[in-house]
C-alpha cells in the first residue's frame, strides 16, 4: 500500500489519479501512512466478494481434509452430494463462474449415471 501510494503521488500521476482515501471513523484516529493506518484500512475495506470456495474439498478418501469423492458424494453420508464451487480444493486464478457451471454439469451427469444403476 505504501508503494502504491508513493507511485500515485508522483508527478504526473498525482495530478491525474491521486486522491487521498478517506478513512473510516475507526481509522481516523491513526496517523496517516503508517502501518497501523494501512492495517485499519485493509480490515475496513477488504471483503470476499462472496466467492467462497474450498469449504467441501474434493479429494481421495485418505485425504483428511477431503469432504467429497470424485463423483461429488459426501464421505460417510449416503445419498448426499455437494455440487458447487465449494468442492474446489483451491480458488482458481480467474473468474470461477465457468468452472462452477462445469462442476454442476458433471454433477448432474453423475446423478443420472447413478440413477440408471
Amino acid at each position: 500500500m505504501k508503494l502504491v501510494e508513493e507511485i500515485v503521488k508522483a508527478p504526473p500521476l498525482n495530478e491525474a489519479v491521486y486522491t487521498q482515501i478517506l478513512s473510516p471513523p475507526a481509522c481516523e484516529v491513526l496517523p496517516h501512512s503508517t502501518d497501523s493506518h494501512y492495517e485499519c484500512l485493509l480490515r475496513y475495506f477488504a471483503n470476499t466478494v462472496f466467492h467462497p470456495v474450498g469449504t467441501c474439498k474434493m479429494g481421495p478418501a485418505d485425504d483428511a481434509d477431503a469432504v467429497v469423492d470424485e463423483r461429488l458424494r459426501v464421505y460417510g453420508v449416503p445419498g448426499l452430494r455437494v455440487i458447487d464451487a465449494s468442492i474446489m480444493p483451491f480458488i482458481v486464478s480467474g473468474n470461477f463462474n465457468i468452472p462452477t457451471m462445469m462442476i454442476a454439469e458433471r454433477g448432474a451427469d453423475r446423478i443420472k449415471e447413478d440413477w440408471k444403476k
Side-chain angles (χ1 to χ4, degrees):
M1 289 180 73
K2 288 178 183 177
L3 179 59
V4 170
E5 187 172 47
E6 271 183 56
I7 292 169
V8 297
K9 278 184 175 179
L13 283 178
N14 65 339
E15 298 165 11
V17 176
Y18 185 73
T19 57
Q20 188 174 358
I21 295 175
L22 295 175
S23 295
C27 304
E28 285 179 2
V29 297
L30 302 169
H32 183 71
S33 299
T34 62
D35 288 346
S36 57
H37 185 251
Y38 289 129
E39 180 181 350
C40 184
L41 291 174
L42 284 170
R43 289 182 183 278
Y44 184 82
F45 289 113
N47 64 56
T48 65
V49 194
F50 307 106
H51 288 106
V53 302
T55 56
C56 297
K57 177 183 172 184
M58 178 174 59
D62 61 354
D63 180 347
D65 294 329
V67 175
V68 300
D69 66 13
E70 73 281 354
R71 298 188 64 78
L72 309 175
R73 297 174 297 202
V74 175
Y75 289 118
V77 185
L80 181 62
R81 294 179 196 254
V82 175
I83 306 176
D84 61 23
S86 65
I87 67 149
M88 295 182 200
F90 304 101
I91 190 168
V92 296
S93 60
N95 188 303
F96 54 89
N97 185 42
I98 297 299
T100 304
M101 291 190 323
M102 185 274 312
I103 291 167
E105 289 288 334
R106 297 289 283 193
D109 291 344
R110 299 295 187 251
I111 290 170
K112 289 187 272 187
E113 289 167 3
D114 291 348
W115 186 261
K116 291 178 184 177
K117 290 181 184 181

